[in-house]
């Protein structure tokens, strides 16, 4: 146990990494250098290099002209795929090429890269964008040997603005002014959230001091190419919102919700006070009327009693003693009843009027927590989507935080939420999944991490033994503690946050 604790502490100190999430850096982990070498009779007859980026774990896109040596020397070319992380390069092969669009698809094995996501939304003139790749002029200044070309290193980024759409040899291209050079060919052109807007392919000549502009094959052309190649890809069209803006929106939404709750509470209190005053007034009026009725009845009985006693006296004076006794006794009983009625007249007790049952909900119904089979739909205005699909999510929420009958969530937020942190083996991301039964809100907060950060996260994950659902509260408490060690090690700012609103599925609602 002590060794495990020391390991966790060591990893936390080792992972004091970035305090923020950088979308461009996350996309950069899927960018590669493409190197082509043609060898004939043991002699190098051609060498070229460019850039590319992952569209699948083992497939990358680049420009067709980057791998043009493969056309000239089909049986004598080695295509190297050099990731931005790690310590190895890998051999690839062209599986699809489109000369008209200047695009090529390369497959390789040996490592899984994080695929980039395409952006299918609108771009406005002047929008900020970023080019990633391996410009040759940087290589000229820094490369010292041929081995440096196949050594993994992070791509160079340059920032610019969108300048418009054009047609280049019948192909739709984006015009931009981010600085690129030979070697950037095949690299991605990204928006501020790291989504692919296009594939950098060419630059203009700057004769006589003209400004340099660059061309990138448009996302629509790339999507068509990938579809023809039967290559699955992810595409989103939600506008790019910075993490800072999104978090500010969340704070504003939380503050608005708090103010609305306070206002509702004040309105409810005022309404309750008014209702109490009305109830007291009505009760007081009813009590006064009842007291008056009792007193009137007592007076009437008293008068009747006195008259009856008087009648008894009259009978006695006429020597009708037996009758006088009975009449006088009846009068006495009437007078006693009058006294009793007077003494038992209703009094007004305000406390009894205010003693009403405690309400359990605003509408008088008991609060209902979301449970069972649910369908969760994305709430765009509360979400920041940069790389993930936004399909509906099906949840089966069982007792004690058992989700979908197989995954145990732990108590969080003082026992009000169910939460699970996922650290996958094959993806470069950590997801914090949270379900709030009271509001039916399901949240997936994602952190896109480097290979080194993922290695450390997986080491921390090994300390989480509870995989399947369990009714043992002690084990769930241990799970919560162990997950907190992973949560603490994550960057303070996420990359992506998907917020869903959940409701009972049609099948569950029909029961």
């Amino acid at each position: 146990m002590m060794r495990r604790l020391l390991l966790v502490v060591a990893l936390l100190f080792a992972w004091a990494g970035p305090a923020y999430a950088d979308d461009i850096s996350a996309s950069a982990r899927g960018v590669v250098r493409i190197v082509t070498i043609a060898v004939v009779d043991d002699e190098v007859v051609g060498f070229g290099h460019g850039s590319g980026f992952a569209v699948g774990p083992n497939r990358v896109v680049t420009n067709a002209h980057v791998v043009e040596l493969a056309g000239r020397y089909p049986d004598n070319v080695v295509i190297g795929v050099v990731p931005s992380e790690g310590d190895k390069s890998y051999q690839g092969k062209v599986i699809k090429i489109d000369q008209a669009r200047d695009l090529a698809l390369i497959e390789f094995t040996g490592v899984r890269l994080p695929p980039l996501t395409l952006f299918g939304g609108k771009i406005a003139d002047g929008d900020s964008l970023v080019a990633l790749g391996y410009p040759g002029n940087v290589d000229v200044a820094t490369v010292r040997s041929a081995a440096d070309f196949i050594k993994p290193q992070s791509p160079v980024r340059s920032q610019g603005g969108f300048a418009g759409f054009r047609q280049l040899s019948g192909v739709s291209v984006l015009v931009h002014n981010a600085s690129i050079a030979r070697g950037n060919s095949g690299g991605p052109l990204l928006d501020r959230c790291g989504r692919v807007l296009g594939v950098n392919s060419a630059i203009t000549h700057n004769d006589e001091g003209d400004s340099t502009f660059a061309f990138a094959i448009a996302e629509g052309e790339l999507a068509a190419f990938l579809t023809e190649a039967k290559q699955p890809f992810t595409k989103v069209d939600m506008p790019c919102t910075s993490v800072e803006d999104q978090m500010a929106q969340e704070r504003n939404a939380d503050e608005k919700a708090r103010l609305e709750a306070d206002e509702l509470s004040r309105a409810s209190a005022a309404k309750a006070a008014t209702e109490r005053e009305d109830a007291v007034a009505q009760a007081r009026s009813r009590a006064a009327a009842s007291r008056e009725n009792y007193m009137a009845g007592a007076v009437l009985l008293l008068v009747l009693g006195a008259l009856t006693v008087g009648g008894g006296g009259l009978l006695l004076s006429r020597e009708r003693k037996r009758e006088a006794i009975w009449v006088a006794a009846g009068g006495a009983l009437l007078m006693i009843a009058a006294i009793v009625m007077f003494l038992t007249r209703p009094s007004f007790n305000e406390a009894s009027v205010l003693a009403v049952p405690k309400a359990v909900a605003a509408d008088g119904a008991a609060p209902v927590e979301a449970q069972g089979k649910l369908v969760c739909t994305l709430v765009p205005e509360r979400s920041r989507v940069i790389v993930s699909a936004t399909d509906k999510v099906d949840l089966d929420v069982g007792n004690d935080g058992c989700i979908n009958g197989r995954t145990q969530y732990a108590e969080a937020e003082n026992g009000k939420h169910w939460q699970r942190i996922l650290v996958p083996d094959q993806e470069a991301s950590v997801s914090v999944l949270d379900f709030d039964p009271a509001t039916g809100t399901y949240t997936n907060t994602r952190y896109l991490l480097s290979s080194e950060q993922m290695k450390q996260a997986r080491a921390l994950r090994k300390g989480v033994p509870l995989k399947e659902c369990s009714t043992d509260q002690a084990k769930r408490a241990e799970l919560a503690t162990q997950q907190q060690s992973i949560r603490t090690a994550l960057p303070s700012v996420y990359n992506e946050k998907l917020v869903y609103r959940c409701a009972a599925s049609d099948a569950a609602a029909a029961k």
Side-chain angles (χ1 to χ4, degrees), residues 9 19 61 100 108 121 142 168 185 198 274 297 389-390 410 427 434 461 483 504:
V9 172
V61 162
F108 62 97
T142 59
L168 192 64
S185 293
T274 301
T390 57
E427 297 180 19
D434 183 278
R461 182 196 59 188
Q483 286 195 147

Side-chain angles (χ1 to χ4, degrees), residues 89-411:
S89 58
Y90 305 87
Q91 186 170 339
K93 62 178 180 179
V94 177
I95 60 172
K96 175 74 173 179
I97 195 163
D98 187 331
Q99 298 291 352
R101 292 191 177 104
D102 194 18
L103 293 173
L105 185 62
I106 298 173
E107 186 176 64
F108 62 97
T109 58
V111 68
R112 294 173 63 88
L113 298 179
L116 275 64
T117 296
L118 279 58
F119 177 64
K122 294 182 178 180
I123 314 171
D125 289 343
D127 275 359
S128 178
L129 42 77
V130 175
L132 291 179
Y134 296 91
N137 49 8
V138 173
D139 289 335
V140 169
T142 59
V143 168
R144 294 292 176 264
S145 68
D148 288 339
F149 280 100
I150 57 173
K151 178 182 178 181
Q153 55 184 330
S154 60
V156 175
R157 72 168 72 181
S158 60
Q159 187 166 325
F162 173 63
F165 284 101
R166 292 291 187 274
Q167 291 288 315
L168 192 64
S169 300
V171 175
S172 179
V173 297
L174 285 77
V175 183
H176 64 90
N177 57 15
S179 296
I180 64 173
R182 294 179 178 86
N184 278 105
S185 293
L189 182 68
L190 309 173
D191 68 2
R192 293 177 296 109
C193 285
R195 288 92 61 94
V196 177
L197 302 173
V199 184
N200 287 310
S201 60
I203 56 175
T204 59
H205 296 292
N206 57 348
D207 297 335
E208 300 179 0
D210 291 341
S211 297
T212 299
F213 287 90
F215 299 104
I217 309 300
E219 174 274 330
E221 302 281 4
L222 172 60
F225 169 73
L226 294 175
T227 300
E228 292 170 7
K230 295 181 173 56
Q231 171 59 46
F233 60 93
T234 303
K235 180 176 178 178
V236 299
D237 56 9
M238 291 185 63
C240 178
T241 303
S242 70
V243 178
E244 294 76 16
D245 288 345
Q246 184 67 28
M247 296 180 74
Q249 290 179 17
E250 291 174 12
R251 289 192 296 270
N252 292 338
D254 290 343
E255 179 65 15
K256 181 179 179 182
R258 186 187 66 79
L259 293 175
E260 289 177 349
D262 289 346
E263 181 62 28
L264 181 61
S265 178
R266 286 192 294 269
S268 298
K271 181 180 179 182
T274 301
E275 291 175 347
R276 284 196 299 269
E277 291 175 359
D278 291 344
V280 169
Q282 292 174 12
R284 183 179 284 114
S285 177
R286 288 193 298 269
S290 181
R291 282 169 61 85
E292 291 174 358
N293 291 336
Y294 266 71
M295 292 176 68
V299 170
L300 178 61
L301 289 176
L302 184 63
V303 171
L304 290 175
L307 291 174
T308 303
V309 170
L314 181 61
L315 290 173
L316 183 63
S317 66
R318 295 180 179 180
E319 297 183 354
R320 297 171 62 181
K321 184 176 180 180
R322 184 179 180 83
E323 294 174 347
I325 292 174
W326 281 105
V327 172
L333 288 175
L334 288 173
M335 295 177 72
I336 292 172
I339 294 171
V340 171
M341 181 173 282
F342 179 80
L343 293 177
T344 59
R345 68 192 184 279
S347 61
F348 176 69
N349 185 354
E350 184 173 328
S352 65
V353 176
L354 299 179
V356 296
K358 183 178 180 182
V360 293
D363 58 359
V368 177
E369 292 192 344
Q371 196 171 12
K373 294 185 181 297
L374 307 173
V375 176
C376 305
T377 306
L378 187 79
V379 184
E381 62 272 18
R382 296 183 59 192
S383 303
R384 182 175 194 258
V385 182
I386 61 170
V387 298
S388 297
T390 57
D391 301 332
K392 292 182 179 180
V393 175
D394 294 323
L395 290 183
D396 187 354
V397 181
N399 295 326
D400 302 321
C402 179
I403 306 295
N404 295 334
R406 62 178 181 273
T407 305
Q408 180 63 56
Y409 282 42
E411 286 92 339

